[in-house]
Amino acid sequence: MPNPKRKFSKSRTAKRRTHYKAEAPTLTTCATTGAVHLPHRAYTVDGNLYYNGKVLIEKAATV
């Protein structure tokens, strides 16, 4: 496996890593339920599973 001939300085390493930043996730609001969720992901509201504003799986009624 290849190894570097010289030591990388701390400033050079830091310059390379400056673009690795944590970003806040983009959130969307559902027009049907008003829930805030990640886009293109299924989300739950009151036990029902929604995707794209439509119910995928309804909560089972407990007796």
Side-chain angles (χ1 to χ4, degrees):
M1 198 168 166
N3 289 321
K5 288 203 177 232
R6 292 187 182 88
K7 178 181 178 178
F8 265 39
S9 68
K10 293 174 188 167
S11 64
R12 186 174 180 89
T13 304
K15 286 177 191 175
R16 185 181 72 243
R17 292 179 180 166
T18 57
H19 304 290
Y20 301 151
K21 298 178 180 129
E23 295 179 359
T26 306
L27 298 174
T28 58
T29 305
C30 178
T32 308
T33 62
V36 178
H37 61 92
L38 290 170
H40 307 287
R41 304 283 195 291
Y43 56 95
T44 57
V45 177
D46 298 329
N48 297 332
L49 187 67
Y50 285 85
Y51 182 76
N52 203 17
K54 298 176 185 124
V55 177
L56 288 181
I57 301 172
E58 288 190 26
K59 182 178 179 182
T62 56
V63 177

